[in-house]
Each structure stands twice: as structure tokens, then as C-alpha cells.
Amino acid sequence: MLSVLPKRKISKVLIFVILGILLLALSSFVFANDPNGAATLKKDANAPVNYTWTLICGFLVVFMMTGFAMVETGFTRATHANNTMLMNLMVWAFGTLGFFFVGFAIMFGGVGGAYADLSKLLTIHIGGKAWGLLGGTGFALAGHTYDVGIFMLFLFQAAFMDTACTIPTGAMAERFKWTAFIVYGFLMGGVIYPVFGNWAWGGGWLSQLGQIGLGAGYKDFAGSGVVHAVGGVTALAGAIILGPRIGKFIKGKPVAMPGHDLGLGVIGTCILIFGWFGFNAGSTMAATDLRLAVVATNTMLAGCAGGLTAMLYMMKTTGKPDTSMSCNGVLAGLVAITAPCAYVSGLSAVIIGGIAGILVCIAVWLFENVAKIDDPVGACSVHGVNGLWGVLSVGLFADGTYGDVKGIIFGGGWGQLGAQAVGALTICVVIFLLAFIIFKIIDKTIGLRVSAKEELMGLDMPVHGALCYPEFALSSLGVPQSYPDEDGNKSATVSKSISKGV
Amino acid sequence: MLSVLPKRKISKVLIFVILGILLLALSSFVFANDPNGAATLKKDANAPVNYTWTLICGFLVVFMMTGFAMVETGFTRATHANNTMLMNLMVWAFGTLGFFFVGFAIMFGGVGGAYADLSKLLTIHIGGKAWGLLGGTGFALAGHTYDVGIFMLFLFQAAFMDTACTIPTGAMAERFKWTAFIVYGFLMGGVIYPVFGNWAWGGGWLSQLGQIGLGAGYKDFAGSGVVHAVGGVTALAGAIILGPRIGKFIKGKPVAMPGHDLGLGVIGTCILIFGWFGFNAGSTMAATDLRLAVVATNTMLAGCAGGLTAMLYMMKTTGKPDTSMSCNGVLAGLVAITAPCAYVSGLSAVIIGGIAGILVCIAVWLFENVAKIDDPVGACSVHGVNGLWGVLSVGLFADGTYGDVKGIIFGGGWGQLGAQAVGALTICVVIFLLAFIIFKIIDKTIGLRVSAKEELMGLDMPVHGALCYPEFALSSLGVPQSYPDEDGNKSATVSKSISKGV
Amino acid sequence: MLSVLPKRKISKVLIFVILGILLLALSSFVFANDPNGAATLKKDANAPVNYTWTLICGFLVVFMMTGFAMVETGFTRATHANNTMLMNLMVWAFGTLGFFFVGFAIMFGGVGGAYADLSKLLTIHIGGKAWGLLGGTGFALAGHTYDVGIFMLFLFQAAFMDTACTIPTGAMAERFKWTAFIVYGFLMGGVIYPVFGNWAWGGGWLSQLGQIGLGAGYKDFAGSGVVHAVGGVTALAGAIILGPRIGKFIKGKPVAMPGHDLGLGVIGTCILIFGWFGFNAGSTMAATDLRLAVVATNTMLAGCAGGLTAMLYMMKTTGKPDTSMSCNGVLAGLVAITAPCAYVSGLSAVIIGGIAGILVCIAVWLFENVAKIDDPVGACSVHGVNGLWGVLSVGLFADGTYGDVKGIIFGGGWGQLGAQAVGALTICVVIFLLAFIIFKIIDKTIGLRVSAKEELMGLDMPVHGALCYPEFALSSLGVPQSYPDEDGNKSATVSKSISKGV
């Protein structure tokens, strides 16, 4: 539809729509709730320490974009580095603004308790019970959401949203069209992420599964599902529609396309470890919940265990400690522990992380060799597969010492695992389809993929007009700009060689 | 004057002066106030959380030097990378020591309230009113400034000082003489920065403008003016006196000199975003001031908006999303929101940041094409222009929900904008002149600029004796070491081609 | 012994041993103490702020691994970069798991006070007094150590342990065999580090030296000795047994082997500065101890002073401000202030750091030119020598304003210096020998050093199967893969040229 309208008209319409929203919102600021925090402080003497904890942890989560930028760029190729880097920065800008104007209201605009003001929840009634579907208060943080508590919640959650947004840019690296990327960024922050977010964290139906006997309802402490699996399946949908990079599969066999700066990837992984403490431990959103110490420790242990098992698995299968898979192992352990981090013991964290480290190695191999999907940095395996593993592990390892969540191993029965399975299935089906449809629409209107010529040049020059490393001699700049086609035919022309299947 | 004395004698004199100061200060430590914090804790039960908040935010601000080092190095050339990197590290060392021995006392040695001990303020009387000019207590944190509260204040403020110090190293990159740089570092931390700092934050005359009806006096919550505009105009003074890099202007037209590692610049930008949360939200200097949640959120929103508008502006004008200008847009948004962050709503933050993103693109173009000033990383545009814009925006967008600061849009009248304008003007005139004179004196004595030969080689080898990337093949090492002169004359000799004008 | 058993059998035995430990530990979780923190919160209203402070500082310390990875990689060669990076990441994984299963119990499993549960301390009786030797409770954080307070302590201490683990990887870079490295990682985290850690911080005999009149006992606030000197002497033992890199010494003269990315080293240094605030100030382990403000400020001042004096020393001796030595100066200042940071004034911090900056330059020269030890990044000088200097400086500069610790200069007599000297001596003799024996055993069984062929290729390809920078043209990849032997004989064969002596 967008392609039907003349371009000039669109941008004018857009500007008026934006201006309209701005004015509407600006006028509503007279209804501010507690914008300077004086009333909140009076009610709750622990507010300062809780705000301190939550916000600093939120800052750490924002910092994770640095790590993602480095991992995704380091593990892809030099002539796309500028593009991959800038995507990671700009997806934060687009996603955050999408979340500010729309997404936050959808996700949290119906939550009870501390944020009772955000009360417009779209609900449906099934079996005599009310099930939350979507929120609807808090657009642009205007009106009575101009409140210190809401702003704190927004900052923390916006940081999480950005993590989900940045996962697909890894799987879709080196061939994602810039204008399509802009649209994706706003929709991921404004729609895709907040929908499941509402169901799990915004008081929606998944969190209410306890009312039909499924344990304590879907439990996802810091977002193995909400953030990572949602990001992972969105990445998968994007990677499928985009198709593999030119030259990735020759006669159906995957060709290695090594990252151009593995050290950058390692450093990015280290930064992500740091940020993950904020991600998981900060999810108590209160310093008075001292379980945060267990959460932080479990996070570290699972990351270590994932790195160890992935490294050992690669040494066993290839004879060599592989750098990128060791990093992915650490990240897989961190992703997996993200849901259960508050509900399990240190030893369980080691086991969950250890399994994740092996899972990620197997998943990367399967995606590449069996499903023939080109995921340059393994985002679907790290975040998708291990996000789902993390969600399920709550139903296994939760030991009942926190929040009355108990898994099978510790005698909690099948209820909790059931709730977790429903959540995991919802991500795999509903969110995958939502993402798939959105990418498909983008593909059919403005196009999702760069031209083959741009891709073969490396995106930096044609898209951004500048190489990332203009003074360094790169072997990749000197090689002939053509690849064999899928049948291994060397004479493949550029126009033919852009293949989306395998 | 310095050049008149024999060199050996200077260093001996210097050593004696330093030793003298050290001894004097050491002897005064018997007058410690509350060096272990027991008394402070007794008086204020909230001290632990306030110290925790302020110090951790201060650590984040110190971390910003990492981001500045990466941005400035990534956006300049490879054969100067070692020099640019080391400058960013060492300016922290010089500036902090200058601030410790001298600057802090000048800036805060007259403040009232919590730090009433620091009471020696140089004041003048005009129109029956007392106006603060300079402080004078707390040299080397000795005597009764050996106190936990003062040390906390010092750490936080020293981190801010370093940010101001590091801005000019970007504008003066690739041609700044090392010995001149050392002198500059101490003077920036010891004199230039603290002077305006006292006027705005140390209880000086700008903060007292309310007594003649100019709103609540000059308000600059986290330093758009105090830190960024001061850094920016100092950078401008330095860049003017240094003159452009050899080869930058050919027949008066600017020549593009692309950064050697744009990814490094993006990563640096990401790190700066992270640090900026500490910069702005930490400026409450108390966790009990829950407005910090609004401050943090506004900071993020303005950065996002700045990145978005700068990227769109570049796409509109050049057809391409430019990496360095997108980064500069994010930074411009952050700089601009730094003064108003506590006084405005989320939507106003988006607007302020969005305007900043466009301003920085225009300013970079004007400096380069109209003023013919060579500012390799756009420091004058990012920090100078947008620092001033941030200062003024308080007078427009402050909505009265915090600290009784109200701008024109929200019915506050012209008073606040007046106070902000006086502050902005003071930076542009007084601080610019102060910096200009200091750089001029350095230039006339020890010389401000490297030799043309050193510059053409790239500073790394001649100044530091080591290349930054000794194993990498660089195209810039192979090219002939001469540039056309201003008239485009290829045969320009090295001695002629060092031109300071255009 | 390990090499006698058939390999397949070992791994099976290992798996059973690991499974056994896991099951044993899992069963013991019924004895949890306060796993959700409710009881702790009830007892101590300040727990939230103390946990917030300690944990966030702990996160900063974990982040230091990023800095170490960058410093160690940036200051070594490009064809080993992948290896050096991955070592820094994986040593965290191995060390943390070793500390989790074994080390933490040894180090803290006998401490009194807040952690009275950890009560099994191996003690000996000499002169009618009990002296602690080793702890023995808390393996795998099981049983009654499943407690929020213990988990907080574990996280903070594990981060410190990792810092000690990562120091030797710098001194042993470019020639450390991967399997030997794995074993080292577990033993460093599980044994070497915790032994001295118990004596100094776990209630062991060094901390009890006050009972025989040596001041307040061995005082090492944040670990100049416990972490840095222990890491430094372990690094020295490793570097001695490994021997120098091939080509490092020609006819007994050291050959410069410049780092391949000095900028990376500078950035790493900046990150370490940031992390060090957590390291030192966090060591109060309580926000209610407001001395943390003095600690943080002293840390910054000492780092600045160390950078300044090292830079000036290099300018004086070589005429040039050396990048890597300036970084090492900053780090040396930080290492040195780590023990005394809580006991001294700001001015003393400047003096201690300033001396450290000169010490490190001299030590690097001595190790290389006199002792003929090849320490690629100067780890023994930075952490070993200055760790010891830091330990001793407590006995000189402690001013009695905190914790009743007083050095000679401030009238404390020789007692404190005596206790510090005993600690320093213990590190140099006992820990050095322990490390030496462990490395010797590894060397005799699985071998400590890579083959000469692997070393000459650069470790990335033969060990990890991937170059760090596969697309960049490296001069080091093109040069002939042979070096002159020690006598300068150009025809040295690979098998001959691997020399361990000088």
C-alpha cells in the first residue's frame, strides 16, 4: 500500500500525523501524577534504594547494545561492518521511539498494583474468566503517566525492548535493506515486542494461567521468552524471508563466512556478560528483594557453564576450541538462565547453562546444515532455541524457595511446566507468525533485501557511502565480486546469484 | 616567558613548587572534618543510598572517557590513532590532578548548604547585591575538606571536568603538540573549566541571577553549558589558533578526511550513551530526589530523537544514512538535553533532541564550509552549538514540575530564558576569550602545533615512537607524504604547506 | 599420573566424579539458610542499599575482564589475538567454576561474624594462639550457604578471583598450551588464589597478626596483595617455566615485539579504570561505610598520578611519551592504591600512585634486561611489583582516620609495616612456590608450552582454526616464519629455536 502513494505525499502525511500526536500529548501533561517524586517518597521510604537499583541495572541493559553491536559486527564481514554497527545503534533509536509513542502503552497500559493508573486493558472472557490481551494507557508517557514510577518502569523496559530489537539485526546482517530496517525498528519496538510482553509481564493472559491450575502462571523472570525467544523467532522469520547471503550455500552445502574481527566479538561477549547482571538481577525491580544476590550469582554461573560446555563440545567434535562458538556458549548460558534465574539454586544454574552451551552448538549446526537457514551470527540458536530452553527449564528446576514457583524435579508437579510450555508455544506460533507477516508486508511493499550488487560490494559503500576501515588493506576488497551460484557455477551473474532458497 | 628560562632550571623550580604544595597540604590533614563518615551517617540516614547513587553515576561519567577516546580516534586517521587515544587517557590524568590541586577549590570553595565549610568565596558587590566570582578552599582536598561528603562531591565533579577537558582534544586532533597538550590539560582542569563552573554551580553570580528577577537564576541541570558548551568553545578557540590540518582545504574547499575506523566511533557513541545516564541522572546527587527517573528517561529519549533526525536529515540531503553524522546526532541530542533534562517532560525531550540532531548537521556544514574551521570530529558542533541550544531550551520547555523552573511555552515568561541567555553569552564571550588567550600564550611560548613533517608522517611515529597498528597494511602509510597547498599546487613543500588560515 | 591413564578412561572417570558432586550438592539444598532474603531484610533495614552497592561494584569488577582482554591482546601480536582474547574470556569461566565448586569454601569457609555459618576452619596452634589455615564450608554454595548474604559475598569475591586469574595469561601470552591453560584456570580459581585469600581475608593467620602485636594485622583493603601480587607472582612463575617467546632474546639482548593494536590497549586501560572503582570502593561491602567516597577518590588520584609519572619518566629517558608504558603507569598506580585506598588521604594517594608509575617503568626494564624474563604485557611489573608496593605502603601512609590502621609517617610505629612485610614475603615465597610447583607439574604431564611450529605460525590458526582478522592484510603473515636463535644464527630450525632459557 505504501508503494502506491507518491513518496512526497507520504512524508507530508507522516509529518502531520507526528505533529498531531505531539500536540495531543503535550496538551495532556497537565494531568501529571507525581512528576517530581515527592509523593512517592513520602509513601515509600525504600523508594530511593529501589529506584537506584532498578535504574542503574537499566543503564547496564542499555549498555548491552554496545555488546550486541560488537558481537554482530565482529562475527560478520569487514565490508558490511559500517552497516552492521549503525544498525545496532539506530535500532535503539527507532525501537525506543516506537516503544515511547505506542509500545509501552500496549505492553503495560493495563497492569495493576503499583501502576494501577495504567488501567485500560483489552480483555476477553473465556470460561467465565477474564483474560488480558492488550494495554492502552501511557502513549508518549503523557497525562497521568507523567510520574516518576512510570518513568522508571519505562526506562527499564525500554532497555529490554532494545535487546529484543537488536537480535534480528544479527540474523539478517549483510543483506537487510535500510528503509525496510527503519520500518522494522519502529514496528518491533511499537508492536511485536509489546504484544507478547503484555501477555507475560503486562498482566495479560499468560501471566493469568494460574487461574486454570497451571502452576503460578507463565513465569519468565527476566525474559528468556519475552525478550530472547521473541527476538529469536523474529530473527528466524526475517532470515527465512530474506534468504541466505549470496555464496552462503553452494550445491546446498553451507560455506564458511568467517567473522572479520573475532576479538571484537569476544569483547562484545564480555560486555554482554556485564550488562546481563543488570538484565537479570535488575528484574527484581526492587533492592528490597534480596533474592537479587542469588539471581546475579546464578547468571554468572550459567554463563560460565555455557562457555565451558560449548568449548568442550567443539574441542570434542572439531579438535579445536572455537572462539565464536565459545562466545555463543557463554551467551546461550546467559539466555537460558534469564527466565529461571530467580527460581533456582546455583547448582541448577550450572546445569541449565551447561546444557545451553551444548544446545547452541547443535542448533547452529542444524540451522545451517539441515534447515539451510543463513543466520550469520547464530542469533536464532543463541536467543531463540536457548530462550525456549530457559522458559521450559523453570518448569524443571524451580525449587520453590522464591515466589512459590516449583518445577518437576523439586516436586512441583506438571502444572508449572505446562504454563511454561504454553508460553513457549505461543512464541513459536503466534509471535513467529506476527513477525513473518510483518516482514512479508515490508518485503512486498518497500522490499526487505538489498540488491545483489550492493550485497556483493559489501553494504558499507553503496548504502552508507563510507567504508568502515578506509585505510586498511582488506583482502575482501581485492577479491573478484562474484560468487558461484547454488550449483557451484562460477559464471553466475549478479542478477542470477541472488537466491533466497537453497 | 617560559621559553626564556633555561629548561633544566624550570623543571627544578617546578619540582620544588610541587614538593612545597605537597608538604603544606600534608601538614593540614590534622584538620580533617568527617574522614570516615561516622558523623555524616548519624546525621543523615539516607546518606548510604545517596552516596551509592552519586558515586556509581560518577563512575559512569569517568567511563565516558572510554567513549570519547573511541569516537575521537575512530573518526580520525590511522597514523594518528596512537596519539589521539593517548591524549584522551592522559588528559584525564592531567586534568584530574589540576582539578585536585587547584580547580576544585576555585569551583566549589565558596558553596553554601551541605558544604558550608568551603566558605572562602571571592565576591563583588554591584547594585547592593553580592555576586560570587571564585572559590578558594579545598586545595588538594586538605584540611577540613578531608571529609566523605567533600570527597564524594570531588569525584563526581572531577569526572565532569574530564568530559570538558576531552572535548577540545577532538577538535584539535592530529596536530596538537604534546608538551602544549600537557600544559593545556592542567590549565583546563585547574582554571578554564572551574571558572564558569563556579559561576553556574559553585554558588557564583550566574546562579544568583534570580535576585534580579531572571527566573530561578541560570539553570543547567547537568551541564549542557558548564561542561559541553565550555568544552566546545574551548575546542573552537584551539582549532582556530591551530589552523586546519595540512590538506584539509584546497582552494578554500574542504577535503573529506574520513575516519579510519567508523565502527570504533559507533561503539564509542554507545559507551557515551551509557555514561550519559550517570552524567544526567546522577546530577540529582541524591537518590532521594526521585525525579532522577524522569531525568534518565528524558536523556534516552533525546539521544534517540537526535540520532533519528540527524540520520533522516543526511538521507534527505545526501541520500545516505551517514554513520558519523548519525552518531553525532545521538550525541547532539544527549548534549542538548543535559541542561533541561530535569525540567521537561518526555515529549519535550524528544523535541529538544530532535532539533539538536538537525542543528548538528547544519553546524558541521557551516563550520567546515563557511567558517573554514577544521574540527576533525565535529566537537564544536556537537558540544558547543548543542550545549548552547540545551542551555536556551530550559527557558523554552521547562514545565514547572520540578524546582520551580518554568519556560516560555509553559507560561513562565521571559525571565528564565533571560538567565539562560546570559549564561550562554558568558560562555561565548568570556570563556572563549579566556581559552583563546591561554592557547595563544602556549602557542607563543612552547608552540601549540606539531611540525609539518610530524603531521604529514602521522603523529604516532614521530611523537610516540610507535604505530598504533604496526602489523596492519595501511594505505595511508604508502601514499606520498605531501599534500597540495591551499591553491591546489601539488609541489607544495612541507614548510610552506603548514597553513593556519584558509 | 594423568598421562599414564588411557585418555578415554579419564574423561569417563571425570564425568562420574562431576555427576557425583552435582548429586551430592543438589541433595543438600534442603538445608538452605535464607535463600530469598526475607529474614535478612527483617534483621537489617540497610541490607537493600548494602546489597545494591556491593553487587553493582561486583558487576564492575566482572567487567574488568573486558579491560584485561583488550590490554593483553592489544599489547601482543595480531596472529595470537584470537588466542589471547579467548583466554581472557575462558579463564573467567574456568576460574569461576573452580571457585564455585572448591575455592570459595577454602577461602571463606571459616569466616566469623556475618557469615558464621561458614565455620569449618582448619587451624593450627602456635605459641598458645590459634592460626587459621584453610576454610572448608560452602562447596558449590550448597546446604546452609544457599543464602542471599553468602551469594552476594560469592559474586563479589568471584569477580576478584577472576582478576587474579587473568593476570598470568598476560605474562604467558603467545605460547601457553590450551589444555594446560584449562587446568591452570581451574586450579587458579580453585586453589592458588583462595589459599592466600583465606589467610588475608578469610579469617586466616595473616589477618590475625595483630594478636602478636603487628599493628592491626595484615591489612589489604581491596587486594594489592591478595589479588594483584598473587596474580603477579603466579604470572612470574609461569613466565619463568614457559621461557621467552621465540625470537625475544637475541644474544641475550631483548628484541622489541610491539603490540598490534595500541589503541585497544588504551581502551582496555580506560575500562580497567572504570572497573577499579568497583574493585576498591566496593570493598567496603557496605554502603553504610561512607569511607567509600574517600576510597573511590583515592583510586582515581593514584591512577592519574601513576600515568603522569610513568609518562614523564619515559619522556625523560627515551624522549617520547610511550603509550603502553603510560597505560602501565595508570594501572600500576591503581594496583598500588588497592591495598591502602581506605587508609590514606588524597595527597598520599597521589604520592603512592606517583611512585608506582616510576616503579613500573624500572621493573619492566629490569625483568627484560636483567632477569631476561619475557613478560609480553608487563604483568609481573604492574601487578606483582606494584602489588607488593601497595601492600607495604599501608605501613607507611595509613593515617589512622579509618579502622585504626596507622603507618610510620603518621606515628603508627613499625608494627603495621611489619604485618604488611610478612604478607608481602608470604606472597613472594609461599604463593610463588605453590604456583611454580603447579606449573611444573602441568609442564611435566600435559606440557605447558605450545610447539615451536604453532608459536611461529601465531597461535590463532593452529590452536583455534581461525585468524582473528582474516580479511586484513597483516605484515606478520607475510614474513618468513623463522627467527634467529639465541646466538643470532639465522638458520635456526624451528625445533631448535624453541628455547626456554636466555
Side-chain angles (χ1 to χ4, degrees), chain B residues 289-353:
Chain B
D289 180 353
L290 301 180
R291 183 75 177 188
L292 49 84
V294 176
V295 174
T297 299
N298 284 347
T299 301
M300 185 156 74
L301 291 171
C304 291
L308 178 72
T309 56
M311 188 203 74
L312 291 176
Y313 184 91
M314 295 307 288
M315 285 180 79
K316 184 107 188 157
T317 54
T318 71
K320 290 182 193 304
D322 183 80
T323 300
S324 67
M325 284 316 297
S326 298
C327 291
N328 276 342
V330 169
L331 298 178
L334 294 169
V335 167
I337 201 64
T338 297
C341 55
Y343 309 115
V344 304
S345 69
L347 196 65
S348 297
V350 170
I351 298 168
I352 292 168

Side-chain angles (χ1 to χ4, degrees), chain C residues 197-209:
Chain C
N198 177 271
W199 299 346
W201 289 350
W205 67 275
L206 277 171
S207 71
Q208 299 168 312
L209 283 176

Side-chain angles (χ1 to χ4, degrees), chain A residues 463-500:
Chain A
V463 177
H464 303 282
L467 290 170
C468 188
Y469 311 104
E471 296 184 38
F472 290 87
L474 295 176
S475 60
S476 42
L477 279 173
V479 297
Q481 293 300 335
S482 78
Y483 281 82
D485 64 9
E486 301 142 41
D487 306 316
N489 186 351
K490 275 271 178 190
S491 65
T493 63
V494 160
S495 59
K496 192 191 164 195
S497 64
I498 177 159
S499 60
K500 295 201 174 186

Side-chain angles (χ1 to χ4, degrees), chain B residues 28-109:
Chain B
S28 68
F29 281 112
V30 287
F31 305 113
N33 207 356
D34 182 18
N36 59 42
T40 304
L41 183 63
K42 215 170 175 180
K43 269 191 298 191
D44 178 12
N46 281 319
V49 70
N50 289 338
Y51 277 55
T52 295
W53 171 251
T54 307
L55 283 175
I56 294 175
C57 285
F59 304 161
L60 291 182
V61 181
V62 174
F63 187 45
M64 289 174 72
M65 89 168 110
T66 319
F68 280 112
M70 293 171 106
V71 167
E72 294 183 9
T73 308
F75 291 157
T76 52
R77 291 174 296 175
T79 49
H80 303 260
N82 204 349
N83 182 258
T84 310
M85 277 285 180
L86 192 60
M87 269 200 189
N88 273 279
L89 176 65
M90 295 315 288
V91 85
W92 165 73
F94 306 152
T96 300
L97 292 172
F99 196 64
F100 174 70
F101 284 113
V102 181
F104 180 73
I106 289 178
M107 185 160 170
F108 287 101

Side-chain angles (χ1 to χ4, degrees), chain A residues 8 12 22 44-45 49 58 81 91 95 114 133 206 212 221 239 255 284 348 360 368 380 388 430 474:
Chain A
R8 193 174 296 269
K12 270 194 192 161
L22 289 183
D44 179 12
V49 70
V91 85
L133 277 187
L206 278 171
I212 54 165
F221 192 71
V255 175
T284 60
S348 297
V360 75
E368 193 157 308
C380 301
L388 296 172
V430 183
L474 295 176

